[in-house]
Amino acid sequence: MTTIRLKGGTVYDPTNGVNGERRDIVFRDGRIVTLPAGAPVDREYDAAGMVVMAGGIDLHSHIGGGKTNLSRLLLPEDHRSREIATDVPHAALDDAESNAGRYLRLPSCGTCTPGTLATGYRYAEMGYTAAFEPAMMPSNARHSHLEMGDTPIIDHGAYVMLGNDELFLQLLSAGEDFERLRDYVGWTIQASKALGVKVVNPGGISAFKFNQRALNVDEAHTHYGVTPRDVLRTLTRALTELRVPHPLHVHASNLGVPGNVESTIATMDAAEGLPIHLTHLQFHSYGVQGPRKFSSGSRAIAEAVNARPNVTIDVGQVIFGQTVTASGDTMMQFRNTPFAQPRKWIVGDIECDAGCGVVPFRYREQSYVNALQWIIGLELFLLVDDPWRVSLTTDHPNGGPFTSYPHLIRLLMDKNFRAEQLATLHPEAQVASALPTLQREFSLYEIAVVTRAGPARLLGLTDRGHLGEGAAADIAVYRDEADRERMFSRAAYVFKDGELIARDGTLLAAPTGGIHFVTPEFDRGIEKTLRAYSERHLTTQFAHTAISDDEVCHCCRGGRLLPVECLAHPRATHAASSPST
C-alpha cells in the first residue's frame, strides 16, 4: 500500500472551493486521502511553485467509432508528415525516461486525427485523463468501444446517437405512448454501454434521405411529419425521467448556416426548461448582418444561455490550420463537400441509425468566414457569465485538434495575446468583431472549471474532476509559467489512478483507462418491439445487439468498468403533454 504526497503545490480545485491555496495532496491505492500534517509517506514529490489541478476531462472529442477511423484513413499524408521523435524540455529526465518517452511516441502519429495510441499519449502529456466520444451509433457501438479501448491511459465513454433512427421516428410519428419511447431510449443506452444520448440535427439526417436539404426547428419531416422540436422535447423528457446525469447532448439544426441564431435559441426552448446541452455552439451562432450576410451572433446566443439556467454548452473553438471535419450530420457534410481541402470526402450511412460525413478542411486566417468563426468562439467563452456551464472544446477534429487546447487556454487567459492574434486576421472580420472590447481574462480557477470540474459535474462523474478526499488520483501538475500555452502543453507530473504516467511532457507508462457508462431503469417489454423491427429490417441478429459488461471490458483491453450512478431524485414528472399525444 504505497502512499504518495505532492508537497506544497498551488491547488486549484473548484469543486471544493479551493482557489490557489498552497497545500499537500496525498493519495494511496489510486485514491486521494487525508493524512495528518507531517505523517510519513512512501514517496514525496516537490510541487512547490507549481500549479496542481485534477486531470483534464474532455467531454466532446471524436476519438472512437467509424467516422473517426475513416478520418484517419482519409488523410494518410497527415500521419506521414509528422515527426515521431520528441525533445525533452527539462534536464530532470534521465536517459531511461527520455528513451521511454520516444519509444511510446513511435507506434502512432498524426495531428488532425491522431491514431489511437497517439491520442492517449498526447492527452496525457497535456494533463488530461479522460475524453468522451460524442457520437456513437447504436449499430456501431462495438467498433466505437474497440477504438476507444485501443486508446491508452485515458478514461473514456460515449454518447449514443438517437433522434434520426428509423424506429424512433416511426414510434414518434405513430403517436406511440411516451413511456414506450422512453423505454426505447433507456434500452439503447444500456445495450450500447453509453454514458448519455446525443441527437445530431434532430430529424434532419433522416430527412436528408428523403431529399430535404434543410430542416428548421418547427419544420415537418417530409416523410414522418414530426419536427425537430418534437424530437428534442421527447428526448430531453426521456433522459430526465431515466435520471441520466448528462443532459441531452444536442448538435442543433442548421449547423454552419448564416442566420442560425434563431433556430439555436428555439432549440434551447424546445427543452421546455429541462436540462439540455448544446454542443460546438460556435457553429450555431451566426447572423446575417453586414455586406457579406455573415456576422457574429455570439452576443444574442450568450444572452440566451445566460437567461436559461437549464442550458449548458461547449464551444467548439475554431483553430487555424489543417484539420478534417467528421460529423454524423450528413445533410451538412454533403453541403460542405465543395469546400474540401484536399479534394476528397466520404458520406455514408449504417443500418438507418444515422450517417456520417468526413470532409478535410483548412481554416485560414485570411478567410473572412474562418476568421469570424475564430472570433465567435472566443466571444462565446467571454460572454457567457457562468464558467460552470461552459466546457472547453474544439469539437476535435472539426474545429481543430485537441492538441491545440494549450493555445486556446492562452487566448482565454491573455487579452494582449488575443489582440495580437486578432490583428493578423482578415481586416473585415476584425472590424465586425466585438472581441477587442471584451477585457475578460480567464483565471487559473476558471480554467480548472471549464476543463475539469465543470465537465465532471455535467457527466455525473462524482469522483473525477476534483481533488477532494475519495476522488480518483487523476492529477496534473504544471510549472507556473507566464506563457500559459507552454505551461499547459507539457505537465510536470501527471498521475493516472495514482500512477505517475508522465513527467515534463514525457510518457513513463501507458496503463489502460476505464469505461464510464450509465445503466438506467426501463421496462424490458420494449424488447418485443425492438426484436420485431430488427428481424424485419436489420442485418444483425437482435440477440447479439446488447453489449455485456464482460464484453465491453474485453473490447477495452481489460479496462475497468466505471458505472456512473443515475441521479438519485425520484423519476421526474413533466406537466407538458408528450409530443405524441
Side-chain angles (χ1 to χ4, degrees):
M1 187 181 294
T2 302
T3 304
I4 298 172
R5 177 187 287 122
L6 278 171
K7 185 173 179 60
T10 304
V11 177
Y12 292 87
D13 182 15
T15 300
N16 295 297
V18 180
N19 185 3
E21 297 177 18
R22 186 175 178 183
R23 57 171 63 185
D24 297 347
I25 301 293
V26 182
F27 46 96
R28 177 192 299 134
D29 291 342
R31 293 281 164 178
I32 294 174
V33 298
T34 300
L35 290 183
V41 296
D42 299 296
R43 186 162 186 181
E44 188 169 272
Y45 293 89
D46 183 8
M50 299 184 187
V51 170
V52 181
M53 297 181 177
I57 298 172
D58 191 348
L59 64 63
H60 186 108
S61 181
H62 295 281
I63 59 170
K67 67 181 177 302
T68 301
N69 219 25
L70 290 172
S71 303
R72 291 165 177 149
L73 292 169
L74 195 62
L75 287 179
E77 58 269 38
D78 174 54
H79 300 269
R80 286 195 299 263
S81 65
R82 304 300 168 183
E83 293 291 333
I84 57 175
T86 179
D87 60 332
V88 182
H90 295 284
L93 293 176
D94 60 29
D95 288 342
E97 290 174 340
S98 172
N99 289 334
R102 288 192 176 95
Y103 174 77
L104 285 171
R105 280 177 176 251
L106 291 176
S108 180
C109 52
T111 296
C112 301
T113 48
T116 53
L117 303 181
T119 295
Y121 300 160
R122 291 171 188 172
Y123 266 120
E125 290 163 2
M126 297 190 303
Y128 273 73
T129 53
F132 295 89
E133 164 58 51
M136 174 175 69
M137 288 192 285
S139 58
N140 206 32
R142 279 182 174 81
H143 179 200
S144 298
H145 283 295
L146 282 163
E147 197 102 16
M148 292 185 291
D150 199 50
T151 303
I153 304 172
I154 58 173
D155 291 345
H156 57 267
Y159 321 136
V160 66
M161 289 172 65
L162 286 171
N164 282 284
D165 45 306
E166 299 302 301
L167 181 54
F168 177 88
L169 292 171
Q170 285 178 19
L171 294 173
L172 190 59
S173 178
E176 292 285 351
D177 291 341
F178 166 76
E179 287 73 19
R180 295 192 72 214
L181 285 154
R182 180 196 64 209
D183 292 336
Y184 171 49
V185 172
W187 181 92
T188 305
I189 292 171
Q190 188 169 95
S192 60
K193 285 292 185 286
L195 183 58
V197 170
K198 182 183 184 184
V199 60
V200 174
N201 189 357
I205 300 173
S206 171
F208 182 65
K209 300 170 191 176
F210 296 90
N211 208 31
Q212 277 184 281
R213 298 307 173 99
L215 192 65
N216 228 326
V217 176
D218 291 303
E219 184 178 355
H221 188 296
T222 189
H223 180 72
Y224 290 109
V226 300
T227 67
R229 186 181 298 273
D230 296 331
V231 173
L232 291 162
R233 188 166 52 183
T234 301
L235 289 174
T236 51
R237 182 182 171 194
L239 290 177
T240 301
E241 294 202 7
L242 291 166
R243 298 179 293 158
V244 173
H246 187 48
L248 180 64
H249 200 91
V250 180
H251 164 136
S253 307
N254 298 318
L255 182 144
V257 177
N260 61 14
V261 169
E262 291 184 7
S263 61
T264 301
I265 295 174
T267 296
M268 298 179 196
D269 291 336
E272 298 180 342
L274 296 178
I276 187 171
H277 180 88
L278 271 67
T279 191
H280 43 63
L281 196 60
Q282 177 275 135
F283 291 106
H284 304 274
S285 302
Y286 302 156
V288 291
Q289 286 71 42
R292 292 178 177 264
K293 303 301 181 184
F294 182 78
S295 61
S296 172
S298 59
R299 192 171 295 278
I301 292 295
E303 289 174 355
V305 173
N306 290 335
R308 293 162 174 79
N310 62 307
V311 175
T312 56
I313 69 166
D314 62 80
V315 171
Q317 176 66 38
V318 158
I319 300 294
F320 296 114
Q322 180 67 52
T323 192
V324 57
T325 63
S327 174
D329 194 341
T330 47
M331 179 183 281
M332 175 269 295
Q333 289 293 71
F334 182 78
R335 186 171 61 241
N336 287 341
T337 54
F339 308 110
Q341 296 181 18
R343 292 286 185 175
K344 46 187 174 180
W345 52 272
I346 300 169
V347 169
D349 185 89
I350 298 178
E351 291 280 21
C352 294
D353 268 343
C356 79
V358 182
V359 182
F361 190 78
R362 183 174 184 83
Y363 292 102
R364 296 175 292 118
E365 290 93 333
Q366 294 308 310
S367 160
Y368 171 80
V369 170
N370 296 166
L372 201 56
Q373 288 176 304
W374 181 88
I375 289 165
I376 290 167
L378 292 173
E379 288 175 341
L380 287 171
F381 273 116
L382 299 169
L383 289 169
V384 173
D385 295 333
D386 184 0
W388 285 94
R389 294 166 56 202
V390 182
S391 293
L392 185 144
T393 68
T394 59
D395 186 19
H396 167 80
N398 292 297
F402 68 83
T403 48
S404 60
Y405 288 173
H407 178 72
L408 175 53
I409 288 171
R410 185 180 179 189
L411 287 168
L412 295 175
M413 296 190 73
D414 186 343
K415 61 181 172 57
N416 292 329
F417 179 66
R418 252 188 343 253
E420 292 170 5
Q421 299 301 298
L422 178 64
T424 68
L425 304 187
H426 190 290
E428 290 182 54
Q430 295 180 46
V431 172
S433 171
L435 196 58
T437 68
L438 302 179
Q439 300 301 306
R440 180 180 178 183
E441 292 180 317
F442 274 50
S443 64
L444 285 169
Y445 186 86
E446 288 174 312
I447 292 298
V449 172
V450 300
T451 62
R452 283 136 167 103
R457 178 183 290 183
L458 266 173
L459 296 171
L461 310 181
T462 56
D463 65 345
R464 314 280 155 156
H466 70 93
L467 299 171
E469 185 173 10
D474 293 354
I475 306 169
V477 183
Y478 300 96
R479 300 182 187 277
D480 192 357
E481 302 184 46
D483 183 341
R484 298 307 194 187
E485 183 171 351
R486 176 179 168 85
M487 171 180 167
F488 283 100
S489 293
R490 293 176 172 176
Y493 301 107
V494 183
F495 296 87
K496 180 74 186 80
D497 294 314
E499 178 183 2
L500 180 63
I501 54 97
R503 186 179 176 194
D504 286 314
T506 294
L507 290 159
L508 306 178
T512 301
I515 312 107
H516 295 275
F517 60 95
V518 291
T519 54
E521 296 181 5
F522 59 92
D523 184 349
R524 288 197 170 273
I526 192 64
E527 290 182 350
K528 182 178 179 181
T529 299
L530 289 161
R531 187 184 304 275
Y533 177 82
S534 176
E535 291 174 353
R536 183 170 181 179
H537 296 288
L538 304 183
T539 61
T540 55
Q541 293 187 29
F542 178 74
H544 299 158
T545 302
I547 304 173
S548 68
D549 286 0
D550 289 346
E551 184 182 357
V552 74
C553 183
H554 177 73
C555 285
C556 294
R557 295 179 177 264
R560 291 182 303 122
L561 299 174
L562 300 169
V564 175
E565 186 176 358
C566 287
L567 298 172
H569 62 73
R571 176 167 284 173
T573 57
H574 187 44
S577 62
S578 166
S580 61
T581 59

mmCIF file of all heavy atoms in Angstrom, residues 57 130 132 155 195 245 453 455-466 516-517 562-565:
data_model
loop_
_atom_site.group_PDB
_atom_site.id
_atom_site.type_symbol
_atom_site.label_atom_id
_atom_site.label_comp_id
_atom_site.label_asym_id
_atom_site.label_seq_id
_atom_site.Cartn_x
_atom_site.Cartn_y
_atom_site.Cartn_z
ATOM 1 N N ILE A 57 -10.619 16.783 -18.335
ATOM 2 C CA ILE A 57 -11.729 15.971 -18.856
ATOM 3 C C ILE A 57 -12.283 16.651 -20.098
ATOM 4 O O ILE A 57 -12.764 17.784 -20.028
ATOM 5 C CB ILE A 57 -12.837 15.804 -17.795
ATOM 6 C CG1 ILE A 57 -12.296 15.070 -16.566
ATOM 7 C CG2 ILE A 57 -14.040 15.061 -18.383
ATOM 8 C CD1 ILE A 57 -13.261 15.032 -15.400
ATOM 9 N N ALA A 130 -9.180 11.941 -19.201
ATOM 10 C CA ALA A 130 -10.449 11.377 -19.689
ATOM 11 C C ALA A 130 -10.909 12.148 -20.912
ATOM 12 O O ALA A 130 -10.719 13.366 -21.004
ATOM 13 C CB ALA A 130 -11.535 11.427 -18.606
ATOM 14 N N PHE A 132 -14.314 11.887 -24.043
ATOM 15 C CA PHE A 132 -15.572 11.210 -24.332
ATOM 16 C C PHE A 132 -15.991 11.412 -25.782
ATOM 17 O O PHE A 132 -16.043 12.540 -26.279
ATOM 18 C CB PHE A 132 -16.656 11.694 -23.361
ATOM 19 C CG PHE A 132 -16.338 11.308 -21.949
ATOM 20 C CD1 PHE A 132 -15.581 12.136 -21.140
ATOM 21 C CD2 PHE A 132 -16.728 10.072 -21.461
ATOM 22 C CE1 PHE A 132 -15.249 11.763 -19.855
ATOM 23 C CE2 PHE A 132 -16.396 9.683 -20.167
ATOM 24 C CZ PHE A 132 -15.649 10.521 -19.370
ATOM 25 N N ASP A 155 -9.416 7.541 -19.374
ATOM 26 C CA ASP A 155 -10.775 7.006 -19.255
ATOM 27 C C ASP A 155 -11.590 7.505 -20.435
ATOM 28 O O ASP A 155 -11.296 8.549 -21.034
ATOM 29 C CB ASP A 155 -11.432 7.489 -17.961
ATOM 30 C CG ASP A 155 -10.817 6.884 -16.722
ATOM 31 O OD1 ASP A 155 -10.080 5.885 -16.834
ATOM 32 O OD2 ASP A 155 -11.056 7.437 -15.631
ATOM 33 N N LEU A 195 -22.852 6.591 -22.043
ATOM 34 C CA LEU A 195 -22.879 7.498 -20.897
ATOM 35 C C LEU A 195 -23.994 8.521 -21.015
ATOM 36 O O LEU A 195 -24.357 9.172 -20.049
ATOM 37 C CB LEU A 195 -21.522 8.198 -20.765
ATOM 38 C CG LEU A 195 -21.300 9.133 -19.587
ATOM 39 C CD1 LEU A 195 -21.498 8.405 -18.251
ATOM 40 C CD2 LEU A 195 -19.906 9.747 -19.652
ATOM 41 N N PRO A 245 -27.503 11.396 -15.807
ATOM 42 C CA PRO A 245 -26.903 12.659 -15.344
ATOM 43 C C PRO A 245 -26.617 13.659 -16.453
ATOM 44 O O PRO A 245 -26.881 14.851 -16.288
ATOM 45 C CB PRO A 245 -25.603 12.203 -14.676
ATOM 46 C CG PRO A 245 -25.860 10.787 -14.269
ATOM 47 C CD PRO A 245 -26.752 10.217 -15.337
ATOM 48 N N ALA A 453 -13.577 20.557 -13.523
ATOM 49 C CA ALA A 453 -14.696 20.455 -12.588
ATOM 50 C C ALA A 453 -16.044 20.523 -13.294
ATOM 51 O O ALA A 453 -16.963 19.752 -12.975
ATOM 52 C CB ALA A 453 -14.592 21.559 -11.535
ATOM 53 N N PRO A 455 -16.943 19.862 -16.649
ATOM 54 C CA PRO A 455 -17.270 18.642 -17.389
ATOM 55 C C PRO A 455 -17.590 17.453 -16.485
ATOM 56 O O PRO A 455 -18.510 16.682 -16.766
ATOM 57 C CB PRO A 455 -16.006 18.391 -18.215
ATOM 58 C CG PRO A 455 -15.406 19.735 -18.407
ATOM 59 C CD PRO A 455 -15.698 20.476 -17.128
ATOM 60 N N ALA A 456 -16.850 17.301 -15.382
ATOM 61 C CA ALA A 456 -17.137 16.193 -14.468
ATOM 62 C C ALA A 456 -18.541 16.299 -13.898
ATOM 63 O O ALA A 456 -19.282 15.312 -13.824
ATOM 64 C CB ALA A 456 -16.103 16.167 -13.342
ATOM 65 N N ARG A 457 -18.932 17.502 -13.498
ATOM 66 C CA ARG A 457 -20.282 17.697 -12.953
ATOM 67 C C ARG A 457 -21.338 17.407 -14.016
ATOM 68 O O ARG A 457 -22.354 16.754 -13.734
ATOM 69 C CB ARG A 457 -20.424 19.128 -12.437
ATOM 70 C CG ARG A 457 -21.809 19.445 -11.901
ATOM 71 C CD ARG A 457 -21.940 20.893 -11.459
ATOM 72 N NE ARG A 457 -21.170 21.157 -10.255
ATOM 73 C CZ ARG A 457 -21.153 22.340 -9.619
ATOM 74 N NH1 ARG A 457 -21.867 23.355 -10.103
ATOM 75 N NH2 ARG A 457 -20.440 22.505 -8.530
ATOM 76 N N LEU A 458 -21.111 17.878 -15.243
ATOM 77 C CA LEU A 458 -22.078 17.674 -16.323
ATOM 78 C C LEU A 458 -22.268 16.196 -16.661
ATOM 79 O O LEU A 458 -23.331 15.790 -17.105
ATOM 80 C CB LEU A 458 -21.629 18.425 -17.571
ATOM 81 C CG LEU A 458 -22.187 19.824 -17.780
ATOM 82 C CD1 LEU A 458 -21.511 20.488 -18.968
ATOM 83 C CD2 LEU A 458 -23.689 19.778 -17.969
ATOM 84 N N LEU A 459 -21.236 15.402 -16.467
ATOM 85 C CA LEU A 459 -21.297 13.980 -16.811
ATOM 86 C C LEU A 459 -21.680 13.106 -15.629
ATOM 87 O O LEU A 459 -21.835 11.891 -15.792
ATOM 88 C CB LEU A 459 -19.942 13.530 -17.373
ATOM 89 C CG LEU A 459 -19.531 14.197 -18.695
ATOM 90 C CD1 LEU A 459 -18.090 13.843 -19.036
ATOM 91 C CD2 LEU A 459 -20.463 13.793 -19.822
ATOM 92 N N GLY A 460 -21.815 13.683 -14.454
ATOM 93 C CA GLY A 460 -22.158 12.892 -13.281
ATOM 94 C C GLY A 460 -20.994 12.117 -12.708
ATOM 95 O O GLY A 460 -21.191 11.142 -11.979
ATOM 96 N N LEU A 461 -19.763 12.543 -12.997
ATOM 97 C CA LEU A 461 -18.569 11.837 -12.517
ATOM 98 C C LEU A 461 -18.180 12.405 -11.156
ATOM 99 O O LEU A 461 -17.326 13.273 -11.034
ATOM 100 C CB LEU A 461 -17.421 11.990 -13.521
ATOM 101 C CG LEU A 461 -17.738 11.662 -14.983
ATOM 102 C CD1 LEU A 461 -16.491 11.830 -15.845
ATOM 103 C CD2 LEU A 461 -18.282 10.244 -15.102
ATOM 104 N N THR A 462 -18.794 11.894 -10.116
ATOM 105 C CA THR A 462 -18.648 12.494 -8.787
ATOM 106 C C THR A 462 -17.267 12.300 -8.184
ATOM 107 O O THR A 462 -16.893 13.026 -7.258
ATOM 108 C CB THR A 462 -19.702 11.923 -7.818
ATOM 109 O OG1 THR A 462 -19.575 10.491 -7.785
ATOM 110 C CG2 THR A 462 -21.110 12.291 -8.275
ATOM 111 N N ASP A 463 -16.501 11.336 -8.683
ATOM 112 C CA ASP A 463 -15.168 11.105 -8.121
ATOM 113 C C ASP A 463 -14.062 11.551 -9.080
ATOM 114 O O ASP A 463 -12.910 11.146 -8.929
ATOM 115 C CB ASP A 463 -14.974 9.639 -7.741
ATOM 116 C CG ASP A 463 -15.008 8.711 -8.945
ATOM 117 O OD1 ASP A 463 -15.463 9.136 -10.023
ATOM 118 O OD2 ASP A 463 -14.574 7.546 -8.812
ATOM 119 N N ARG A 464 -14.391 12.364 -10.076
ATOM 120 C CA ARG A 464 -13.403 12.865 -11.037
ATOM 121 C C ARG A 464 -13.505 14.391 -11.098
ATOM 122 O O ARG A 464 -14.499 14.982 -10.686
ATOM 123 C CB ARG A 464 -13.647 12.308 -12.442
ATOM 124 C CG ARG A 464 -13.905 10.815 -12.488
ATOM 125 C CD ARG A 464 -12.650 9.989 -12.406
ATOM 126 N NE ARG A 464 -12.931 8.658 -11.879
ATOM 127 C CZ ARG A 464 -12.184 7.587 -12.107
ATOM 128 N NH1 ARG A 464 -11.113 7.670 -12.867
ATOM 129 N NH2 ARG A 464 -12.493 6.428 -11.549
ATOM 130 N N GLY A 465 -12.475 15.012 -11.652
ATOM 131 C CA GLY A 465 -12.507 16.454 -11.851
ATOM 132 C C GLY A 465 -12.279 17.268 -10.594
ATOM 133 O O GLY A 465 -12.387 18.487 -10.623
ATOM 134 N N HIS A 466 -11.934 16.590 -9.481
ATOM 135 C CA HIS A 466 -11.642 17.338 -8.253
ATOM 136 C C HIS A 466 -10.594 16.591 -7.444
ATOM 137 O O HIS A 466 -10.193 15.463 -7.788
ATOM 138 C CB HIS A 466 -12.903 17.584 -7.438
ATOM 139 C CG HIS A 466 -13.493 16.367 -6.790
ATOM 140 N ND1 HIS A 466 -13.185 15.988 -5.499
ATOM 141 C CD2 HIS A 466 -14.379 15.439 -7.241
ATOM 142 C CE1 HIS A 466 -13.864 14.889 -5.185
ATOM 143 N NE2 HIS A 466 -14.590 14.536 -6.230
ATOM 144 N N HIS A 516 -16.636 4.645 -18.644
ATOM 145 C CA HIS A 516 -17.770 5.240 -17.926
ATOM 146 C C HIS A 516 -19.063 4.996 -18.710
ATOM 147 O O HIS A 516 -19.111 5.216 -19.927
ATOM 148 C CB HIS A 516 -17.559 6.745 -17.761
ATOM 149 C CG HIS A 516 -16.399 7.115 -16.902
ATOM 150 N ND1 HIS A 516 -16.488 7.188 -15.527
ATOM 151 C CD2 HIS A 516 -15.116 7.446 -17.210
ATOM 152 C CE1 HIS A 516 -15.320 7.550 -15.024
ATOM 153 N NE2 HIS A 516 -14.465 7.709 -16.036
ATOM 154 N N PHE A 517 -20.108 4.575 -18.019
ATOM 155 C CA PHE A 517 -21.401 4.331 -18.665
ATOM 156 C C PHE A 517 -22.496 4.389 -17.612
ATOM 157 O O PHE A 517 -22.225 4.355 -16.401
ATOM 158 C CB PHE A 517 -21.416 2.958 -19.367
ATOM 159 C CG PHE A 517 -21.172 1.804 -18.436
ATOM 160 C CD1 PHE A 517 -22.239 1.094 -17.882
ATOM 161 C CD2 PHE A 517 -19.886 1.423 -18.077
ATOM 162 C CE1 PHE A 517 -22.024 0.034 -17.011
ATOM 163 C CE2 PHE A 517 -19.663 0.364 -17.209
ATOM 164 C CZ PHE A 517 -20.734 -0.336 -16.669
ATOM 165 N N LEU A 562 -16.656 1.506 -15.039
ATOM 166 C CA LEU A 562 -16.865 2.631 -14.139
ATOM 167 C C LEU A 562 -18.304 3.116 -14.275
ATOM 168 O O LEU A 562 -18.586 4.154 -14.883
ATOM 169 C CB LEU A 562 -15.883 3.762 -14.478
ATOM 170 C CG LEU A 562 -14.395 3.398 -14.378
ATOM 171 C CD1 LEU A 562 -13.534 4.499 -14.984
ATOM 172 C CD2 LEU A 562 -13.987 3.131 -12.942
ATOM 173 N N PRO A 563 -19.268 2.340 -13.724
ATOM 174 C CA PRO A 563 -20.673 2.742 -13.857
ATOM 175 C C PRO A 563 -20.932 4.068 -13.163
ATOM 176 O O PRO A 563 -20.458 4.318 -12.059
ATOM 177 C CB PRO A 563 -21.432 1.590 -13.179
ATOM 178 C CG PRO A 563 -20.428 0.922 -12.291
ATOM 179 C CD PRO A 563 -19.093 1.106 -12.944
ATOM 180 N N VAL A 564 -21.659 4.932 -13.834
ATOM 181 C CA VAL A 564 -21.996 6.251 -13.301
ATOM 182 C C VAL A 564 -23.396 6.173 -12.707
ATOM 183 O O VAL A 564 -24.349 5.761 -13.379
ATOM 184 C CB VAL A 564 -21.927 7.314 -14.411
ATOM 185 C CG1 VAL A 564 -22.397 8.667 -13.883
ATOM 186 C CG2 VAL A 564 -20.503 7.412 -14.954
ATOM 187 N N GLU A 565 -23.519 6.565 -11.471
ATOM 188 C CA GLU A 565 -24.799 6.455 -10.772
ATOM 189 C C GLU A 565 -25.815 7.416 -11.374
ATOM 190 O O GLU A 565 -25.527 8.600 -11.602
ATOM 191 C CB GLU A 565 -24.614 6.761 -9.287
ATOM 192 C CG GLU A 565 -25.860 6.537 -8.462
ATOM 193 C CD GLU A 565 -25.617 6.759 -6.978
ATOM 194 O OE1 GLU A 565 -24.472 7.047 -6.604
ATOM 195 O OE2 GLU A 565 -26.596 6.643 -6.206
#
